[in-house]
């Protein structure tokens, strides 16, 4: 219907809002507005920011007449959201089965960036004044004599007077005022500073990637190379080329961005400035400045965590995903998406190349290379001839420590030898706290969380037991909460704190550093810790997975994996792959420079394929075997998976919802539904949880199948159904 010509003056305009709606809403605009325009509109009594959207397949019968539409309140002073970005929002919503508006929300999450940029008033020296001056005024003018521009506050503070004096001088013209934007532009990176001279292998990879950048077409490639082979240096070349030959932007996604001060340092060495950062540790003002600079195209290089993918780039010339295998690229709350996969989608919509870098690429990526969808560039050696560390298994069945201790004599000796050579040691144990379980010797009680099906973890420094899933905390009890007997509670199993205790006994002289998310609480503490290790103020580092990420410590030669079997339990599809990646990363910290490295893996299963692959250094064999197993069971990357997680506070309701889902399953060729089964975390934060797993052929239309199923099932009061496409976590 065409009602734009009738009595109501205005244009029907689609506006997508950052609220969980599946489609844009209609508004009235006095002028035609281009898609992508940022606007403010009324919605149920409040004003919200939104984006003018393109035509959207709507239902005509539901269309309100023009006369009843609300009017767009304001056009916001922000460059338009580009068409590739709008298609990206639609793509992610469609793929993850999320409401369109929920995906847009990940872009529109900095309201302060959508207003006129804030300004402040600066004062500097003006005309000479002949009138008599007060003492206070004279001292202000004396400070201003240097001609520098300052805020009233700064100037007043420097002169030791009140702000009013400065403003008064401004009014009489003795000081000149200028309004400047609070957010200064970011300094521009310089692509032409010289990087290191690349080796022939590095050159070949860099050349190919620079060619892709010049072609400015979608081209995914895997940059694979052992830890320390120079992957970062190589993709820096591609970034430099993108700066040189385009005026567009570059996005680098890193896991755990806050902990990578070493990466940032290398970046500034190479490009002469710091990159624009985007992650959860930014202040509101930093966020506003960065978001705005990205939208205006002024921020040329952005390095960020997965959420940076939703920044409003003007145009992307290149995306890099470093450590592409890392599980932290998967967002497990809200819109469930894998930033690595969505980065590939975004690159294709932007028609830009994308580089996935890793020493241990995910099997999905390996498979995409095998199918010819991704190019592959390989760096076979560590830079500078440093050898890969020698890896040795310690069989805990025969060579383990006495009971109640966790460091085997072989590992102890190796550490001692390293310290004697003035080298450093690292003990890796992916368990925070003192002990993962507290047990009552009197009644057998294991202290668990009232909200989750999980044990409480003892944190001895803080004298607390804590649930690592919901944060529930109690003071460490003296008597058993079940039987009330005193003095019979004992810790069971080791965490890093308990390891520290043991190391203090074995090495009373050694300087220890414990790195976990409990001790590394901010980017600043991370920097301090790393500086300490670099300046050799630390002999032994004890840490969880946060020490595995990309660090380069030349004196670190001895790495001990305290429990190499830890990640293999639990029946997770990717348990083997993950464990391999993690242990290879830890091992990769050893002997990165002149001094050779040794890695000791304490294990009860030295014959396990993961251990065997690590010991022999034969990743190819491991990948081959793992692929074959996945193929046998049609598991990713050969088939597709989706999980449905049904949850709610009342067990009965959740079971009802599961029954309804069960009854509405449609038998379609190429799909198989497993479940429902109680989730491994059958209770989480007070919610009961059940899981369905949908297995589909690679070519099957998984999303369509799920959408139809959910419509048939309808809703059940008191139960929530969450869809997780390509699940990474099976908890
Ligand atoms: P990766 O990212 O593969 O782990 P890096 O890029 O971090 O490897 O390189 C490891 C170390 O070797 C870094 O300190 C890096 O500066 C250095 N390096 C790599 N390639 C070269 C080169 N061609 N010339 C000089 N130093 C290099
Ligand atoms: Zn809990």
């Amino acid at each position: 219907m065409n009602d734009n010509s009738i009595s109501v003056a205005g244009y029907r305009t689609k506006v997508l809002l950052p609220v969980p709606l599946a489609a844009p809403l209609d508004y009235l605009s006095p002028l035609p507005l281009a898609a992508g325009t940022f606007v403010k509109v009324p919605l149920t009594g409040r004003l919200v920011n939104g984006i003018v959207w393109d035509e959207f397949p709507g239902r005509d019968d539901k269309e309100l007449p023009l006369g009843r539409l609300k009017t767009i309140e304001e056009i916001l002073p922000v460059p338009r959201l580009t068409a590739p970005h709008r298609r990206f929002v639609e793509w992610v919503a469609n793929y993850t089965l999320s409401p369109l508006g929920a995906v847009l929300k990940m872009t529109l999450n900095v309201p302060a960036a959508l207003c006129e940029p804030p300004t402040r008033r600066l004062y500097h020296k003006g005309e000479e004044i002949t009138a008599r001056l007060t003492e206070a005024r004279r001292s202000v003018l004396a400070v201003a004599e240097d001609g520098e521009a300052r805020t009233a506050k700064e100037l007043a503070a420097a002169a030791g007077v009140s702000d009013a004096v400065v403003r008064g001088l401004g009014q009489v013209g003795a000081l000149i005022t200028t309004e400047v934007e609070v957010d200064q532009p970011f300094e521009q990176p310089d692509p032409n500073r010289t990087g290191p001279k690349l080796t022939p292998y590095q050159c070949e990879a860099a050349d190919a990637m620079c060619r892709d950048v010049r072609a400015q077409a979608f081209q995914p490639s895997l940059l694979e190379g052992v830890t320390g082979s120079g992957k970062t240096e190589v993709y820096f070349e591609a970034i430099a080329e993108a700066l040189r030959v385009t005026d567009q932007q570059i996005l680098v996604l890193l896991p755990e961005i806050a902990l990578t001060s070493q990466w940032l340092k290398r970046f500034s060495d190479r490009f002469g400035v710091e990159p624009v950062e985007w992650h959860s540790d930014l202040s509101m003002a930093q966020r506003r400045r960065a978001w705005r600079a990205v939208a205006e195209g002024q921020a040329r290089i952005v390095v960020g965590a997965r959420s940076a993918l939703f920044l409003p780039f003007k145009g992307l010339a290149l995306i890099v995903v470093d450590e592409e295998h890392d599980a932290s690229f998967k967002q497990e709350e809200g819109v469930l998406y894998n930033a690595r996969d969505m980065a590939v989608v975004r690159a294709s919509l932007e028609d830009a190349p994308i580089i996935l870098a890793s020493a241990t690429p995910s099997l999905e990526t390996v498979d995409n290379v095998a199918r010819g969808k991704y190019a592959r560039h390989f760096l076979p050696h560590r830079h500078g001839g440093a050898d890969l560390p020698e890896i040795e298994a310690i069989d805990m069945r025969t060579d383990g420590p006495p009971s109640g201790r966790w460091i085997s004599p072989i590992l102890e000796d190796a550490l001692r030898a390293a310290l004697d050579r003035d080298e450093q040691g690292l003990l890796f144990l992916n368990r925070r706290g003192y002990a993962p379980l507290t047990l009552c010797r009197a009644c057998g009680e294991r202290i668990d969380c009232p909200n989750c099906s999980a044990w409480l973890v003892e944190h001895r420094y803080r004298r607390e037991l804590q649930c690592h899933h919901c944060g529930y905390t109690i003071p460490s009890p003296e008597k058993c909460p079940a039987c009330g007997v005193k003095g019979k509670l004992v810790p069971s199993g080791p965490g890093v704190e308990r390891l520290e205790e043991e190391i203090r006994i074995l090495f009373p002289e050694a300087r220890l550093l414990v790195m976990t998310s409990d001790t590394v609480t901010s980017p600043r503490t991370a920097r301090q810790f790393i500086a300490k290790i670099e300046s050799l103020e630390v002999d032994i580092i004890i840490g969880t997975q946060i020490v595995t990420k990309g660090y380069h410590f030349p004196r670190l030669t001895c790495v001990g994996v305290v429990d190499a079997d830890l990640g293999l339990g639990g029946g997770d599809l990717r348990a083997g792959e993950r464990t391999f990646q993690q242990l290879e990363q830890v091992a990769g910290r050893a002997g990165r420079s002149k001094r050779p490295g040794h890695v000791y893996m304490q294990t009860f299963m030295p014959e396990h394929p993961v251990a065997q692959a690590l010991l022999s250094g034969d990743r190819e064999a491991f990948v081959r075997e793992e692929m074959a197993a996945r193929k046998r069971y049609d598991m990713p990357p050969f088939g597709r998976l989706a999980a449905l997680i049904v949850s709610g506070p009342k067990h009965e309701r959740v079971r009802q919802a599961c029954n309804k889902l069960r009854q509405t399953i449609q038998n379609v060729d190429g799909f198989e539904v497993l479940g429902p089964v109680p989730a491994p975390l059958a209770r989480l934060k007070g919610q009961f949880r059940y899981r369905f797993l949908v297995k589909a052929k690679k070519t099957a239309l998984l999303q369509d199948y799920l959408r139809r199923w959910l419509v048939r099932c309808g809703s059940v009061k008191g139960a929530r159904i969450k869809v997780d496409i390509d699940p990474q976590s099976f908890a």
Side-chain angles (χ1 to χ4, degrees), residues 449-454 456 467-472 683-686:
C449 175
N451 313 314
C452 309
S453 23
L456 295 184
C467 172
H468 282 182
H469 298 285
C470 72
Y472 173 86
R683 275 191 83 215
L684 179 63
K685 302 179 185 176

Side-chain angles (χ1 to χ4, degrees), residues 681-724:
L681 267 169
R683 275 191 83 215
L684 179 63
K685 302 179 185 176
Q687 307 270 310
F688 292 89
R689 300 168 79 242
Y690 282 75
R691 295 178 67 98
F692 287 86
L693 194 63
V694 182
K695 274 178 71 176
K697 287 247 157 62
K698 182 123 181 163
T699 51
L701 298 175
L702 179 58
Q703 279 81 357
D704 287 349
Y705 178 86
L706 294 170
R707 258 189 285 270
R708 281 199 303 272
W709 183 15
L710 292 172
V711 168
R712 274 197 309 280
C713 172
S715 60
V716 170
K717 227 176 134 196
R720 217 177 131 222
I721 303 173
K722 217 168 67 173
V723 181
D724 187 0

Side-chain angles (χ1 to χ4, degrees), residues 13-17 23-27 39 41 49-53 72:
T13 306
K14 303 266 173 216
V15 178
L16 184 63
L17 302 175
L25 298 176
D26 285 355
Y27 283 89
V39 292
V41 299
N49 300 320
I51 307 269
V52 174
W53 216 251
I72 289 176

Side-chain angles (χ1 to χ4, degrees), residues 321-334:
V321 183
D322 202 352
E323 311 284 3
E324 68 90 32
H325 61 273
D326 199 282
S328 74
F329 283 122
K330 179 70 188 279
Q331 167 140 315
E332 300 284 5
E333 245 149 52

